Amino acid sequence: MKARILVTALVTASMAFGAFAQNHSFDIDLKKVGAPIQPTMDGIFFEDSNFAADGGLYAELVKNRSFEFPNALQGWKSFGRVEILDDGPFDRCPHYARLKDPGHKDKQTGLENEGFFGIGMEAGKEYSFTVWARVPDGGEGAIRIELVTPASMGENQFFTQDRIRISGAQWKKYEAVIKPGVTDPKAVLRIFLEAPRTTIDLEHVSLIPGDALEGVYRRDLAEALADLQPGIFRFPGGCIVEGTDLDTRYNWKNSVGPVENRPINENRWEDTFPHRLYPDYYQSYGLGFYEFFRLSELIGSEPLPILSCGLACQFQNDDMSAHVPVDELGPYIQDALDLIEFANGSTDTKWGALRASMGHPEPFNLKYLGIGNEQWDAIYPERLEPFVAALRKQHPEIKLVGSAGPNSEGDQFDFLWPEMKRLGADLVDEHFYRPEAWFLSQGSRYDNYDRKGPKVFAGEYACHGVGRKYNHFHASLLEAAFMTGLERNADIVHMATYAPLFAHVEGWQWRPDLIWYDNLRSMRTASWHVQHLYGLYKGENVLTLTMDGAPVTGAEGQDGLFASAVKDGNLIYVKVANTSESSRDLSFNFTGLKKKDADPVAVERVVFTSDSLYEDNTLDDPDAIVPVEVPFSGSGRTIGATVPPQSFTVFVFER
Ligand code: AHR
C-alpha cells in the first residue's frame, strides 16, 4: 500500500456503513479489464504567473540580483555613493553596482534589497549568501551583510550579520552562511562597505535558504508538488510561452547555462491586468529549462515543455505584424530541435554538452513537446505544419502536442480539432476554466470522442465559480466529479493538469490556484487534495462501472452522482462524487466473478467533504479541509455504503 497522508476520522452517522436503502446500484465488471491508465494521466502545469518562479518555487530571495532590471536599482535602496556600471564579467548580464567610500567616517555606503514582498527569514535556519565582487583598484576591502527588519516596520534592527573580505581586481565569487535568531517574513538584506572602505564592485547578489532543494527549489513548494505524484510536468506555461509580444516570449535558450549569465525577461504578467499591476515583475530565468527538467526527474514526472509557435499572445495582438511570418519560422523551429538536443542529445553535441556542463550528462529522456499554447484561427495550423514536418523528420520518437484554442467548445475548438488530426498531432491540449454548471454537465464529455484521432491533454482546467472565482471546496468537488470522466476515458485522455499551479498571496494575477504561499508558509487547497487523491489512487486499468446500464456521469436521473472505477493489482478503487445536497445510499455489485473466485473485501474509504462549501484552507489554518479516512468494512459480491452530501469518496476493495 502506498504511503498516504490522511487523517482518520471518527465515523459520523451519515458516513457510517449500516442501514441504508440500496437505491443506487453500481455494477462493477471485474471480468473485463479496460484501457490502461497512462502514467502521465494526472500532472501539474507550471507557469511563472502569480510570482510562481521568482518569489515562489525558485528559492532565490534577492530581487533584481544582477542589477539588470530596466531601472537597475529596482528592488534596491541605495545609500551613500553607489553607481551602476555595465562592463561586468557576464556578457548577457553586464550591469553591476559600485560601492564607494562615503567620504565621512560617520556616513555609510551600501544597498538594501527588499526581496519579493520582503525576505522571509526563519530563526535558526541557515541562509547561503553569495556575491561576485572585486576591488577594482586592487588591494583589499570588506562588506558587511545583514538581515534586518526594515525601518518602515518599526524598530530597525539587524538579526544576523557577517563580514566578507574582498580582495584583488579580479572578479571572484564570495560566500557566507548567515543564521538569523529571529523569524520575520519581511526582512531586508543590507550590504554596506566596511573599513577600510575601499571601492568595491558587486554583481549577482544571492541569498538562498540552506534547506532549498538542491539549492534551487523552495522546499515546502517542491514537496507540495512531489506529494501529488504527478505523472506529467508541463512548463513554462501558459501565455508566458507566447509573450505579450514576441520579444517577451519565453526564450528557453536564455534560461540555460550559468545563472549569472541568464538575461532577464519582462514577465508577460507584469502589467496584463491594470487592477493587478506588478511593474517589478521580471523573470530572472533562475528557474530555467534545466531546472524544469531536473525537477521533473526529482518528482518522477515526464517533462512536457511547450514552445512558441511564432505567434505572440493572440488575446493581446490582433495585428499580423506581431507574429512571425510562416516563411521566417526557421529560428523557432531550430529552437525546438535544439531543445530536444539539450534534453536528450549526447554530450558531444552542442546542446547536450551544455546540459552536461550544467551537471547532467545523462539525457533527460524527453518524450513530449508542445508547440503553441492557446492559439487559434488558420494562422496557427499553418505555423504548426512546418514544425511538425521538421520534428517528425528528425525526431519521430517525440510525441507532439497541439492546441485546441482557449475555449472548451465553439467555432475555434471545432475548427482546430480536425486541423490537429490532419497535422497528425499526438495529443490535443484543451483548456477549460469554466463555471459550476459546465463541470456538472461534462461528466460524459469524452465518452463519445473519436477514438481514432489524437489523444486528449486537458492542459489547463479549474472550476471558476460564478461570483466565486476563488478557491473553495465546492469548486474542488466539481473538479473531482469531472475527473471521473477523464479516468473512465483513459483510453483517449492521456494527460490532465489543473491550472494555474502556484500563487503568492501578495502577488497574484490569476485565481483560483492549486497552492498558495507567503514568504514563509504555504497552503494546499481543496483542489490540491482532489488532485492528490487522484494521484494516490491512480490505478493501472479502467474498470467498467455502470448504474442501470449507463456510466455514472451526473446525467439526469442519476441524482448528482459521478463515479469511476479502476484496478490496481488486486485492489479496486472506486471514486464517487456526490454533488447533490443529500446523502446517497450505494451498493457496489461486483460482476464477472467466477463461482470459485474469492469475494471482494472492503478495505478503505477516504471521504473529502466540508460544511464550509465556499471556503478553503488558509495559511493560518492549512488543514481545515482535508480528506479523512472513515472505517469501512464488509465483504461479498454486493457491498453497501452511504456517501455524504457534497462529498468526494474513494472506496478501496481487495479481491
Ligand atoms: O493559467 C492562466 C492562463 O490561462 C494561461 O497562461 C493561459 O494559457 C490561459 O489563458
Side-chain angles (χ1 to χ4, degrees):
M1 182 90 45
K2 295 169 204 159
R4 296 187 176 118
I5 312 155
L6 295 165
V7 182
T8 303
L10 293 174
V11 186
T12 66
S14 67
M15 292 177 187
F17 170 68
F20 52 85
Q22 293 186 0
N23 53 357
H24 299 92
S25 181
F26 288 177
D27 296 322
I28 300 165
D29 185 352
L30 299 182
K31 193 163 153 209
K32 232 175 44 206
V33 172
I37 293 153
Q38 299 299 318
T40 53
M41 177 61 127
D42 307 297
I44 49 178
F45 159 98
F46 180 90
E47 176 165 21
D48 186 8
S49 54
N50 305 324
F51 286 83
D54 298 289
L57 181 61
Y58 187 41
E60 177 61 78
L61 298 172
V62 178
K63 182 161 72 185
N64 189 16
R65 62 186 174 185
S66 291
F67 309 100
E68 292 300 324
F69 284 19
N71 167 357
L73 281 176
Q74 198 158 20
W76 297 92
K77 262 188 211 151
S78 67
F79 46 95
R81 294 173 62 209
V82 176
E83 288 170 12
I84 298 296
L85 292 95
D86 64 1
D87 58 346
F90 307 112
D91 61 326
R92 299 202 293 183
C93 301
H95 295 89
Y96 60 94
R98 173 161 290 176
L99 274 50
K100 289 173 146 176
D101 187 333
H104 186 288
K105 71 175 178 51
D106 290 332
K107 292 188 177 175
Q108 309 290 343
T109 289
L111 291 163
E112 270 182 15
N113 191 275
E114 68 190 27
F116 301 92
F117 316 103
I119 290 178
M121 65 177 188
E122 276 179 74
K125 189 159 149 179
E126 294 190 334
Y127 292 81
S128 161
F129 173 88
T130 57
V131 65
W132 287 79
R134 67 173 179 179
V135 180
D137 303 325
E140 276 221 351
I143 52 169
R144 179 156 295 276
I145 53 169
E146 295 177 346
L147 277 171
V148 304
T149 290
S152 58
M153 300 290 285
E155 205 179 346
N156 182 207
Q157 67 183 118
F158 69 83
F159 295 112
T160 183
Q161 57 172 322
D162 205 348
R163 180 175 194 270
I164 303 179
R165 281 176 49 211
I166 313 291
S167 61
Q170 296 305 313
W171 286 100
K172 280 182 277 188
K173 189 174 178 181
Y174 294 84
E175 296 181 26
V177 173
I178 49 181
K179 202 173 179 181
V182 169
T183 295
D184 186 338
K186 290 195 173 284
V188 297
L189 172 68
R190 180 182 293 161
I191 306 169
F192 58 98
L193 279 188
E194 279 225 321
R197 306 218 288 195
T198 318
T199 297
I200 287 181
D201 293 339
L202 301 177
E203 163 65 313
H204 199 87
V205 183
S206 171
L207 186 71
I208 297 203
D211 68 351
L213 183 63
E214 299 203 335
V216 173
Y217 314 96
R218 181 170 146 174
R219 184 161 289 272
D220 58 333
L221 300 185
E223 283 173 354
L225 300 185
D227 286 350
L228 288 171
Q229 304 186 11
I232 191 86
F233 177 28
R234 168 186 172 152
F235 55 84
C239 292
I240 209 159
V241 167
E242 306 155 78
T244 301
D245 47 34
L246 288 172
D247 285 346
T248 53
R249 77 183 193 282
Y250 198 108
N251 183 341
W252 76 263
K253 286 177 175 167
N254 286 347
S255 80
V256 293
V259 284
E260 293 87 347
N261 207 15
R262 298 183 191 174
I264 62 156
N265 190 28
E266 182 185 298
N267 189 301
R268 61 92 67 238
W269 297 112
E270 185 185 59
D271 43 20
T272 309
F273 303 120
H275 57 291
R276 299 204 67 80
L277 265 188
Y278 292 93
D280 57 350
Y281 198 1
Y282 289 83
Q283 296 174 264
S284 71
Y285 279 145
L287 202 62
F289 266 48
Y290 177 88
E291 289 76 17
F292 288 131
F293 281 121
R294 176 68 186 136
L295 185 60
S296 305
E297 197 169 59
L298 288 170
I299 62 179
S301 305
E302 295 291 348
L304 168 52
I306 309 285
L307 295 183
S308 163
C309 65
L311 292 171
C313 180
Q314 288 177 261
F315 285 110
Q316 293 171 299
N317 296 281
D318 299 330
D319 190 339
M320 276 311 291
S321 66
H323 309 306
V324 184
V326 177
D327 58 2
E328 292 173 22
L329 281 171
Y332 286 72
I333 295 172
Q334 194 57 48
D335 276 356
L337 296 170
D338 291 343
L339 180 65
I340 298 170
E341 185 176 294
F342 178 73
N344 295 351
S346 82
T347 54
D348 52 19
T349 61
K350 174 179 171 192
W351 293 101
L354 178 62
R355 181 192 71 239
S357 74
M358 294 179 73
H360 206 286
E362 310 78 26
F364 281 118
N365 203 12
L366 175 69
K367 299 188 185 89
Y368 303 94
L369 180 62
I371 304 296
N373 174 43
E374 279 180 349
Q375 321 299 167
W376 63 85
D377 278 342
I379 57 174
Y380 174 50
E382 70 188 17
R383 280 166 180 70
L384 184 58
E385 195 155 2
F387 276 90
V388 174
L391 288 161
R392 288 287 184 235
K393 193 166 163 208
Q394 295 196 40
H395 290 288
E397 75 284 6
I398 299 289
K399 286 198 175 358
L400 299 178
V401 181
S403 165
N407 301 316
S408 49
E409 49 266 306
D411 291 350
Q412 286 300 335
F413 186 88
D414 293 344
F415 164 68
L416 285 166
W417 252 100
E419 282 296 282
M420 292 307 106
K421 196 171 173 182
R422 175 179 72 80
L423 293 174
D426 295 293
L427 292 115
V428 176
D429 178 13
E430 300 186 351
H431 291 183
F432 20 89
Y433 297 108
R434 307 288 275 125
E436 293 92 337
W438 187 91
F439 275 82
L440 284 167
S441 70
Q442 296 293 306
S444 58
R445 178 179 178 89
Y446 297 109
D447 292 3
N448 298 312
Y449 257 49
D450 176 4
R451 263 49 197 177
K452 295 196 193 83
K455 306 300 181 201
V456 173
F457 170 30
E460 290 186 36
Y461 69 92
C463 175
H464 284 192
V466 175
R468 295 192 178 94
K469 203 166 159 257
Y470 51 81
N471 288 91
H472 49 76
F473 170 76
H474 189 239
S476 79
L477 171 63
L478 300 194
E479 289 151 11
F482 171 74
M483 288 172 79
T484 59
L486 303 180
E487 187 169 273
R488 186 175 51 258
N489 290 284
D491 62 319
I492 183 159
V493 182
H494 282 195
M495 299 174 182
T497 54
Y498 177 102
L501 182 61
F502 282 130
H504 192 295
V505 288
E506 293 182 63
W508 60 272
Q509 297 87 47
W510 282 88
R511 65 175 185 182
D513 304 285
L514 207 61
I515 299 161
W516 287 82
Y517 47 88
D518 62 14
N519 285 349
L520 293 178
R521 303 169 299 167
S522 55
M523 177 276 278
R524 302 166 179 199
T525 61
S527 292
W528 183 95
H529 285 288
V530 165
Q531 298 290 325
H532 188 218
L533 289 174
Y534 272 90
L536 285 180
Y537 299 93
K538 190 188 290 267
E540 292 163 349
N541 290 84
V542 180
L543 292 172
T544 302
L545 181 155
T546 53
M547 179 163 69
D548 300 325
V552 185
T553 61
E556 217 183 313
Q558 292 190 327
D559 289 344
L561 290 168
F562 296 69
S564 56
V566 297
K567 88 179 255 310
D568 189 9
N570 60 345
L571 297 177
I572 300 156
Y573 306 146
V574 182
K575 302 187 181 80
V576 182
N578 176 12
T579 61
S580 76
E581 290 172 15
S582 310
S583 62
R584 299 287 181 217
D585 296 331
L586 311 176
S587 71
F588 301 103
N589 302 317
F590 297 99
T591 65
L593 285 160
K594 294 195 182 120
K595 257 194 183 153
K596 62 175 176 43
D597 290 339
D599 287 345
V601 178
V603 291
E604 193 183 355
R605 166 168 48 180
V606 179
V607 180
F608 190 38
T609 190
S610 172
D611 292 337
S612 310
L613 264 195
Y614 299 112
E615 286 173 24
D616 209 316
N617 297 318
T618 61
L619 288 172
D620 290 331
D621 194 359
D623 296 323
I625 304 175
V626 293
V628 293
E629 276 194 30
V630 177
F632 184 41
S633 58
S635 66
R637 298 188 175 198
T638 297
I639 298 176
T642 300
V643 285
Q646 285 163 326
S647 65
F648 176 53
T649 306
V650 182
F651 294 93
V652 181
F653 304 91
E654 194 166 10
R655 58 167 300 208

